[in-house]
Amino acid sequence: MRYVSTRGDATPRRFCEILLEGLAPDGGLYLPERYPRVDAGTLTRWRGLPYAELAFQILSLYIDDIPAADLRALCQRTYTRERFGTDAIVPLRPLEPGLWIEALSNGPTLAFKDMAMQLLGGLFEYELARRGERLNILGATSGDTGSAAEYAMRGKAGVQVFMLSPHGRMSPFQQAQMYSLPDANIHNIAIEGVFDDCQDIVKAVSNDLVFKRAHRIGSVNSINWARLLAQVVYYFAGWFQATTASDERVSFAVPSGNFGNVCAGHVARMMGLPIGRLLVATNENDVLDEFFRTGCYRVRAAAETHETSSPSMDISKASNFERFVFDLLGRDAARVRKLFGTHLARDGGFALDAAAHKRCASFGFVSGRSTHADRLATIRDTWQRFGAMIDPHTADGLKVARERRVAGEPVVVLETALPVKFSSTLVEALGQEPPRPEALVGIEDLPRRCDVLPADVSAVKALIAAHDTR
Ligand SMILES: *Cc1c(COP(=O)(O)O)cnc(C)c1O
């Protein structure tokens, strides 16, 4: 399997060549040159496989430069009961006939990003050892991504993580989750500023190509193909649990921000998994809902980006969206380059022609949005009728699933975080604190490791350089 860029760079690259990279050299995103097709016979054979083995089977279709035995061992070390809480790894729980919640948030940081990031940690360590190289991962976080990256990379040979976060602005629980990690290769840097300051520093450091090369700066952001690929697996696992035969269709409702999660659903559907529709759920930051309704993709300015009670979906643009548009336009890289390289940069967006917009439906896409009041109502209703607590992001997904679902359509709602991560909203909705997994009781009292720095690029560079010694 070879990988190509959505903007036309067709230099054939193998999986491990793009594993440690971000964007393609032409600014596009990597995609496989084709989607391997999975037929009904294969689905029948895969039904009942343990999650780790299913992951190995799917990953093998896309990865041919890691020996099979090594890849299988990596999957088996990653998707364990110890890390994800159950043998099913992503158990489905029924809400009502034809409507389920797929639990993706029982990994170490209690959000679905662990599903991909835990595998990425193993893959990075494996590939760096094979090359005899090291990598310094630099990132900015306001919550879920940073902690998932740190828990994935902790103790991994050849990798250090430098994670910037806005000083004093994350929830006490999120701060405790990150800052209490004792591992020497994890560096928390609290920046005296807001999240945008953190992101600007990451950009400035990454744009200094001399520094970047000298200190082997890398990232684990959501455009990484390996992350997306790891997420494809739980669409298969969810479909198997919701069906008994290979011709049954199931739709998925997906709380969406950067379009990474639902893009994995798109890939699974392109592979032939019988997915009916992909219901894209946004919050008040409705870039994606607007696109699917109107065919216009309009990136928001910082001032137009709302702070909501489903904060991990507070995005101004959807960084994985270009992958879907590439497929929607019949993989016409010249057109993608014009839309994303020219129009987006110049006009802040673009409008598709009516025919292309109409084709979104044939790829299964439908969308909806929700508000803070909707989230509270959905959390309350789900608690009162089913005794189930859900987090605000999952509530966005469930609200849109209910609204868009047609009679008899089976729908799996992806649970993207546990309620305990967003307890203030749960308290607002239900008047009570959500339960906390035993292992995380009292983490706020653990000793913390964190450097506080001014919002200054050279201070961050100096700190990285001081730790990047061999
Ligand atoms: C990251 C995140 C999302 C959004 O996922 P995308 O892949 O960016 O669409 C939704 N919910 C939670 C809890 C998240 O952490």
Side-chain angles (χ1 to χ4, degrees):
M1 177 64 79
R2 300 293 184 271
Y3 291 86
V4 296
S5 163
T6 50
R7 300 213 186 155
D9 183 335
T11 315
R13 290 179 175 84
R14 304 177 79 179
F15 178 82
C16 288
E17 293 176 78
I18 65 167
L19 173 63
L20 304 172
E21 278 183 52
L23 294 174
D26 62 358
L29 305 183
Y30 287 115
L31 272 180
E33 59 190 352
R34 61 186 168 78
Y35 296 112
R37 294 286 299 182
V38 171
D39 59 19
T42 309
L43 285 176
T44 304
R45 267 203 318 283
W46 284 357
R47 189 179 283 282
L49 287 183
Y51 192 91
E53 181 61 23
L54 178 65
F56 167 69
Q57 294 293 337
I58 294 170
L59 263 52
S60 308
L61 301 175
Y62 292 92
I63 305 175
D64 53 17
D65 51 350
I66 296 178
D70 293 355
L71 187 60
R72 179 177 265 135
L74 261 172
C75 291
Q76 280 169 351
R77 275 201 303 278
T78 302
Y79 297 110
T80 62
R81 183 187 183 87
E82 289 66 45
R83 282 195 208 183
F84 290 95
T86 59
D87 289 327
I89 307 295
V90 291
L92 226 54
R93 28 177 228 276
L95 275 189
E96 56 194 74
L99 190 63
W100 298 265
I101 288 184
E102 183 171 0
L104 304 180
S105 304
N106 296 298
T109 74
L110 313 185
F112 85 102
K113 292 197 170 65
D114 290 329
M115 293 303 306
M117 210 71 96
Q118 287 288 315
L119 183 77
L120 203 67
L123 284 168
F124 271 35
E125 184 175 54
Y126 178 88
E127 181 58 17
L128 288 168
R130 189 156 78 165
R131 296 185 191 182
E133 287 178 8
R134 65 187 198 285
L135 190 71
N136 291 307
I137 293 168
L138 175 63
T141 189
S142 54
D144 293 338
T145 311
S147 55
E150 292 190 352
Y151 280 75
M153 301 297 166
R154 62 184 296 197
K156 292 280 187 284
V159 186
Q160 294 197 88
V161 177
F162 297 86
M163 193 56 67
L164 313 190
S165 55
H167 185 42
R169 284 173 195 259
M170 289 192 303
S171 76
F173 180 81
Q174 285 177 321
Q175 291 183 35
Q177 251 190 333
M178 288 176 54
Y179 301 168
S180 66
L181 280 178
D183 308 80
N185 71 327
I186 303 297
H187 309 280
N188 290 299
I189 306 171
I191 296 291
E192 292 171 323
V194 294
F195 175 64
D196 283 334
D197 297 314
C198 299
Q199 237 174 355
D200 288 345
I201 294 171
V202 169
K203 270 189 211 144
V205 174
S206 305
N207 288 340
D208 179 344
L209 295 182
V210 175
F211 185 88
K212 187 178 175 189
R213 207 163 299 134
H215 293 288
R216 312 213 164 246
I217 304 294
S219 71
V220 288
N221 48 30
S222 76
I223 57 159
N224 184 291
W225 166 254
R227 271 181 71 178
L228 214 121
L229 179 57
Q231 294 177 269
V232 170
V233 179
Y234 57 68
Y235 283 88
F236 280 81
W239 180 86
F240 281 122
Q241 293 177 78
T243 60
T244 52
S246 290
D247 56 352
E248 290 174 46
R249 283 184 181 277
V250 176
S251 297
F252 285 84
V254 189
S256 298
N258 275 317
F259 205 76
N261 198 354
V262 76
C263 193
H266 163 68
V267 172
R269 197 173 182 277
M270 296 297 279
M271 291 172 71
L273 184 68
I275 292 178
R277 302 191 297 166
L278 292 162
L279 315 177
V280 177
T282 75
N283 61 22
E284 292 88 336
N285 296 293
D286 57 357
V287 186
L288 289 167
D289 180 44
E290 181 177 86
F291 170 78
F292 286 110
R293 275 187 297 107
T294 66
C296 295
Y297 181 61
R298 187 174 59 87
V299 165
R300 310 292 200 259
E304 257 189 298
T305 308
H306 310 282
E307 265 185 48
T308 76
S309 51
S310 46
S312 301
M313 293 157 58
D314 292 349
I315 51 101
S316 53
K317 65 177 197 308
S319 48
N320 270 292
F321 184 56
E322 185 171 332
R323 287 193 159 110
F324 167 63
V325 173
F326 184 59
D327 286 338
L328 181 71
L329 299 180
R331 298 203 148 199
D332 181 343
R335 257 179 100 189
V336 171
R337 193 165 58 238
K338 223 184 205 161
L339 293 180
F340 285 87
T342 311
H343 289 289
L344 201 58
R346 198 185 59 202
D347 316 324
F350 57 78
L352 289 184
D353 59 75
H357 176 227
K358 221 171 139 201
R359 273 202 307 279
C360 291
S362 65
F363 284 84
F365 280 95
V366 188
S367 71
R369 81 194 279 275
S370 63
T371 63
H372 180 65
D374 293 326
R375 285 188 278 285
L376 294 182
T378 305
I379 291 169
R380 224 173 267 138
D381 172 72
T382 308
W383 176 241
Q384 283 165 357
R385 288 202 294 148
F386 308 107
M389 273 199 204
I390 55 170
D391 100 292
H393 306 77
T394 309
D396 287 330
L398 182 54
K399 186 258 183 187
V400 170
R402 284 236 161 81
E403 196 172 73
R404 292 279 178 266
R405 193 178 165 211
V406 297
E409 181 181 25
V411 178
V412 170
V413 179
L414 299 186
E415 177 179 62
T416 56
L418 290 196
V420 65
K421 291 199 91 166
F422 303 94
S423 56
S424 64
T425 303
L426 268 288
V427 169
E428 189 182 344
L430 305 179
Q432 61 175 302
E433 291 276 344
R436 186 182 283 204
E438 189 123 17
L440 296 168
V441 173
I443 53 165
E444 286 92 339
D445 306 325
L446 294 174
R448 297 188 175 195
R449 292 172 60 248
C450 178
D451 288 305
V452 180
L453 292 185
D456 172 33
V457 177
S458 54
V460 171
K461 280 183 181 169
L463 191 143
I464 294 172
H467 286 288
D468 184 34
T469 51
R470 283 226 138 170

